[in-house]
Amino acid sequence: MQRDGDRPIERAAVLIRDARKLVLITGAGMSVDSGVKDFRSRSGWWRSIDPRTVATVEALEHRYDLFHEFYAERIRQLRTVVPHAGHFILAEWEQQGKLARICTQNVDRLHQLGGSRNVEELHGTIRTFRCHACGAPHEEEAFLRKAACPCGGRLRPNVVLFGEPLPAEAWETSLEAIREADVVLVIGTSLEVAPVNRLPFLTKAQRIFINAEETGLEDRFDVFVKGRARDSLIAIDQRLQRPGN
Ligand code: APR
């Protein structure tokens, strides 16, 4: 529980500095500082469309034009998006052996583009594509021009749609990492979507939450930093760099 008046950035930096195994969980808020809209905050996707009505197998099979439009727009947007300083800091922490694994809900691959290698994509990705009927891999360009698979099936991103199971290996690897962690850092998620929203609490680790807004779950964390992912990671990293820290 956070004591009043403590400086959360300092407390987070101490926990991260002393962590034997630090594991990170990220959501859409981690990508907002790169210009990617999140879902549920005021500027998110949900202001214009409810992803639960579009990011579904039902939409893919019965309202393909709407399904295709939702993903085509997000895929095109990613062409102008690059990782921010926070992504590069996390890759540094992995290089230094400080950060063991990233378990992300994000589908934009910005963690990997920022240099992180141990990344579990719990909700898949919109960077690669397949035929929904036969599973054959296809290129982004084919999806964007609404090509059909030679088998006749429709093309889709390799994203986990609502109602679909999470990739078993990514989930198992994330669960194991979380259980073995002594510090879990959660960044930029409303923690509204199961089962990822259970992950931070399936461990005895100390928990740090960095988020732009309160979500009502702050009291379940040892430290809550109310702030932007990029700025908060820069501030924490600066304290880790200080000699004698
Ligand atoms: N820095 C830190 N946090 C931020 C920032 C930022 N720059 N910008 C927004 N946030 C916070 C918002 O306040 C919000 O609480 O990030 C959180 C993002 O929450 P959501 O939009 O719900 O995104 P996420 O939690 O990743 O959604 C989970 O829902 O629609 C599905 O599959 C989709 O993976 C997604 C899942």
Side-chain angles (χ1 to χ4, degrees), residues 25 28 32 43 53 59 61 85 99 111 118 153 161 170 187 196 200 208-209:
I25 298 168
V32 167
S43 55
T53 65
E61 292 176 349
L99 174 59
H111 283 301
N118 299 333
L161 299 174
I187 303 179
V196 177
I208 305 164
F209 187 27

Side-chain angles (χ1 to χ4, degrees), residues 163-184:
E164 290 187 316
L166 270 59
E169 189 178 337
W171 174 256
E172 288 308 319
T173 304
S174 299
L175 199 50
E176 184 185 352
I178 286 287
R179 284 180 174 149
E180 290 170 359
D182 60 331
V183 178
V184 170

Side-chain angles (χ1 to χ4, degrees), residues 27-29 33 38-40 105 123 188-190 193 211-213 227-229:
D33 294 326
D38 68 358
F39 295 93
R40 294 173 182 80
Q105 299 170 92
H123 289 171
T189 176
S190 60
V193 176
N211 209 58
E213 299 162 330
R228 302 184 71 86

